[in-house]
Amino acid sequence: MNNGSLAAATSHSSIATSGGLSASKYSSRNGNSGSHFQNLNTEKAYGTSGVSTRGAICGLTGLLNLGNTCFMNSAIQCLVHTPEFAWYFREDYHQEINRQNPLGMVGELALAFGDLLRKLWAPGRAPVAPRLFKSKLARFAPQFSGCSQHDSQELLAFLLDGLHEDLNRVKHKPYIKSRDADGRADEEVADEYWANHIARNDSIIVDVCQGQYKSTLVCPVCNKVSVTFDPFMYLSLPLQFTATRSMTLTIFTCDGSALPAAYTLTVPKHGRCRDLVQALSNACSLQFNEKLLLAEIRGHLIYRFLEDPMILLSTIKEDNHLTACKIPKVLKKTKFLQLIHRREEQGIGNAQSPVGWKPYGTPLVSPISCDDTITRSDIQQIVHTMLSPMLRTKGSGAMTTSNASVVASNESHADSSIADPTKGDGGSSKPMLSEKLPLQLVDENNACIDLTVGDDKVVKLSLSSMSILVFVDWSQKLLASYDTKHIENLPEVCKHVHVSKKARNEPLSLYTCLEAFLREEPLVPEDMWYCPQCKERRQASKKLDLWRLPEVLVIHLKRFSYSRSMKHKLDTFVNFPIHDFDLTNYVANENNTRRQIYELYALTNHYGSMGSGHYTAHIKLLDENRWYNFDDSHISPINEEDVKSAAAYVLFYKRVTLLSDEESADRILILLKTTTEGLSQLYFAVGDHVWSSQGFILRFVQAAPNVWNFVLSAPSTNAYVAIGFSPNGNMVGSTAVVGWVESGGTSNMKQYFLGGQQPSLVTLIQTPTQGLPFGNASTMLVQSGRIYIAFQLLTAQPGSRLIYAVGPVGRLPQAPDFRLTEHQDKIATSLNYASGQFQTEKRPESNLRRIHGLLNMLGWGILIPIGVMVARYMRKWDPLWFYMHAVTQSIGFILGLIGVMCGFVLDGRLSADVPIHKALGIVIISFGCLQVLALLIRPDKSSKVRKYWNWYHFGVGRALVFLAVINVFYGIHLGKAGSSWNVGFAAFLVVLFVITLIMEIRIWCRE
């Protein structure tokens, strides 16, 4: 297995593939959720010494320069090392040659290219002179004849188009007239355009290199919208700078290896956080085992972490304060320790009278593993480590960054979440390491815990929060030992700057270039559009969107600009990704939920000016797992970090293929199992229906230490299904894996964190560090009327409290926010992983819930209304009616009061988010107290105020009954008690209403 491609078919062959010859069938190197085959070997660093092309290694044959033919040699090498082309032209492709195509070259170009490719892949060959191919090229494209220098991209475009026409499987092209969208669904129109295109164009070039984009034209006069879907062979991206902005950030280290340092960077004004992180990584020379965590600081506290790479930089204001913390790349689930600085405020007029501690300075961050046991002394050591660069030396008072303060190297910190400050060179430069810092930990109840005592006591980490809050109180004595000026004044983010001449040489993200290519813009006056509604040519606005991406994506960076008087080359450095080029968010086809991940395997470079430049190619041989520089006949290995340069011109990306959705659940388990090293047996525990009424089945297996594979299956209905891992059996605080199938058959799988019962508190997890510790294998499929959700957890022991839920029919999460609706039904279970047995858990505090509901229904909803009726209709039995009324109302009030108290107990235990229900209960019990008070101070019948007292008692009593009935029904709804409770209580109210109606009619008739 090499870099993710299955080598069963190639390991015995003499061909060393570039990018994997089976890229279209198997997964490739990436850690995405659908990739199962991942390279476990780290890349080695190679020197720059030359490699003879006479060796036995295949794919390392050079091309002789026939006189300024480097432009041709570089393009040919990239195509020759494209995996699909390498296979195709080494097989018998002659039967697909179309000699009758008037747009082709009678098959001669394809034959010449195929012959050249076989020579370049033949073992033990000297550099090849491509004279035959050059002559065929000059014959069919005279512009490339002679010994002049040409554009490599122009040759590549002609070559791909010529090979397509020579190998077009369509012998007789039908005439097809394209129709405009005219309000039809984009999916229908796109498929129609693509079918029409394939009906006329069908070749290996189309199979591999052609995609489809959506073109939208809008008339500025009549607003006529024209939508077409056109094929593309490559993307030509502009290196166009809009306004940039200067941003200043301060970088802190969590391992005490360096003092805080401020960096001012120039980033695209309309860029995203990933552009800022990339620029900052380059500026601070970020190591391969480190990453940056961005945070926004407000009021000396961390306001938010900027973990989403898609956050627009335009949302960051000029007066904001940003920090970045170097943290190790860890695979374990982590929380972040936030160190908040405080200093003592003094009272006015008396310096000896402190009034409290107030936050100041810049908070620091350090990661802590959730899987490790953390003690109070461990937190002391972590804080000592973070503050060690500011520690003063004895005598001079100057700061030190000696080895004594550098507690842990990057390598050791990457393997442990706690740095050990005792591992430095002992000496006088760390006097405070032997003393405890005045630290206070904020626990789950917002209480402060003194960390200066009880060193061995274990710190309980909050399950609901991703952060651990620790205060350090800076006394005057402590300030004398540390130089805290580096954390006191945090610079603001700088203002926007205009484009300067230097902008051409500033780094530019490939994502930014793509966004500029897809940005809506008006057509140039020379290329106006004929509006079919206005019947005139209009300068319409044009918007491009990617719709269908090819297996091999060719990207051309438009470095050359032409004008009437001069030609110019842009030497802008484009920061393009080598791995994990994610285009998922740039595909407009919403029905395509497949992740669009690409990996770079080849590129051409152009050095020098336009007229006298030189072309080379960088190509990766996957079986070698190394990059090579192809410079005509000379080939030499290079390091991967040397692939990026300002000379990059044409980039070749291959798709990272995800797991096919055509495999069954058992096949998924086998794939998950076989990708784990050291295990040969394929077994898995199969539980019975974990939720019989809904047909839920859970399968799981411990594939290896700290590796668990799960497959949840359920009937495929028009509703989502979910499995949640809960720390305490409650839905609130759990993390859920949710899957659903759209009406078009597209499957979706997302992670959510249930932070509360309100929809706004159910958040979609978008960063891996926030969700479950997912492995590299997860997928979802639908087969035989069932939906299968398969995923892998990297943990020693998964949580045993599992919650299953099914959503309401027809209410699926929708893009872009995928808001999760309230479940229709759920069940909580406890799973024994050793035996595979499970048992259904009762709802938390179920007995107290039942008592709360019954008492409130009986007291406020039944007895109180009966008491009202007694006072209304039994007055002729005086004084019996009064005693019956008083006793009934009193019993109802007492029962209702106990029921409300049970509700407050439930609220304290469950932290239920039911503000309306709670508010109504408080109002009802207030009205009840007012009625009791009114009874105690009831005036005599002969009193003048007795009439007003009657009005008051009458109004408050009926308002109480009305609110009580509403709150009882609302409580039944919140508790999901079922329709039987609603029907029973409603039937009682109907009986009371009928009795009331009869009695009122009798009174009316009597009067």
Side-chain angles (χ1 to χ4, degrees), residues 424 610 879 978:
M610 289 191 62

Side-chain angles (χ1 to χ4, degrees), residues 809-831:
V809 176
R811 298 178 62 186
L812 300 175
Q814 300 292 331
D817 56 350
F818 295 101
R819 179 66 59 87
L820 196 65
T821 56
E822 185 178 2
H823 59 272
Q824 178 182 349
D825 198 5
K826 75 174 183 70
I827 188 174
T829 65
S830 178
L831 177 62

Side-chain angles (χ1 to χ4, degrees), residues 390-496:
M390 298 182 293
L391 193 63
R392 299 180 188 270
T393 57
K394 280 189 175 181
S396 64
M399 293 178 294
T400 178
T401 55
S402 65
N403 292 335
S405 64
V406 180
V407 179
S409 65
N410 292 334
E411 290 77 15
S412 63
H413 202 346
D415 296 331
S416 174
S417 63
I418 302 176
D420 187 358
T422 64
K423 293 182 179 178
D425 304 326
S428 61
S429 62
K430 53 171 188 174
M432 292 301 298
L433 293 183
S434 60
E435 300 179 13
K436 294 180 181 178
L437 293 170
L439 304 180
Q440 295 191 58
L441 173 71
V442 180
D443 64 6
E444 293 180 324
N445 300 320
N446 290 328
C448 291
I449 301 174
D450 189 1
L451 298 182
T452 60
V453 295
D455 292 352
D456 297 329
K457 286 188 177 181
V458 176
V459 175
K460 183 179 178 182
L461 302 181
S462 173
L463 298 175
S464 60
S465 175
M466 293 300 297
S467 298
I468 303 169
L469 205 62
V470 175
F471 292 115
V472 54
D473 295 331
W474 291 94
S475 61
Q476 294 300 323
K477 178 181 177 182
L478 189 60
L479 287 172
S481 301
Y482 287 84
D483 190 330
T484 59
K485 67 180 181 182
H486 293 277
I487 64 172
E488 292 178 350
N489 297 314
L490 189 65
E492 293 182 350
V493 173
C494 295
K495 297 183 180 181
H496 296 163

Side-chain angles (χ1 to χ4, degrees), residues 291-332:
K291 66 178 181 179
L292 292 175
L293 178 66
L294 298 184
E296 182 179 348
I297 309 300
R298 292 188 184 180
H300 307 290
L301 301 174
I302 295 180
Y303 174 71
R304 60 169 175 164
F305 289 110
L306 304 176
E307 294 184 276
D308 186 0
M310 299 301 291
I311 294 178
L312 293 172
L313 295 182
S314 57
T315 62
I316 300 176
K317 298 180 180 180
E318 299 169 358
D319 57 351
N320 288 160
H321 297 81
L322 297 183
T323 65
C325 182
K326 286 185 179 180
I327 61 175
K329 290 182 178 179
V330 291
L331 297 178
K332 297 184 294 184

Side-chain angles (χ1 to χ4, degrees), residues 170-190:
V170 180
K171 308 303 180 183
H172 304 284
K173 296 185 177 183
Y175 173 75
I176 302 175
K177 184 178 181 181
S178 298
R179 296 189 300 158
D180 201 354
D182 289 333
R184 292 183 294 160
D186 285 347
E187 293 78 8
E188 176 187 350
V189 180

